[in-house]
Amino acid sequence: IPSNVDENAYKLQYPDPRELSMKLAEAKAEAVAKAQNDAIVIASDTVNIRGGQIHDKPKSYEEAFAMIKKVSNTHEIVYSGVCMINTATKRKHMDVAELIVHFNPIRDEDIHHHLKELEATKGFGHTSTGFDPTSMFALKHHKRIEGSSSLLIYGIPFELLLPKLREWDINI
């Protein structure tokens, strides 16, 4: 269910990426929870840091190329805030996961090849990295990964949610 939260307003208010990811997740969960009577609402938001700066989803081929080039032979930090609300009991749980992805050098021709494939299938704005983190392109260029593996693979840190769901007597 889309939350229709204006992310840009939060970016100005919360410059710290960890806090921003949690506040966006909370805003999204609360927006969806308002229309639910008896549900577990789970929302997340991911913030990517490259070169000390927060990066949005690329809007063009050129932006996607520059984003990928920027992580070549360095790393990016990914924060994923999660918020879970039990609308029946009004319980809320918030947390944030961190993932650091270290990259090998990435050749320009590999980036161009990947982006041409991406442009023909999903488009550039589907992830904030400019590439699908589970794609063969990404996997070929990952040097080392530290942190949440479920964040990398599924886009949400399940290790932060599952214990709380069990604590709330939600069987999964």
Side-chain angles (χ1 to χ4, degrees), residues 109 127 132:
E109 57 265 30
T127 71
D132 178 347

Side-chain angles (χ1 to χ4, degrees), residues 63-78:
E63 281 186 25
F65 184 91
M67 283 182 161
I68 295 170
K69 188 73 177 166
K70 195 169 192 173
V71 298
S72 179
N73 208 31
T74 185
H75 70 280
E76 82 175 339
I77 302 170
V78 180

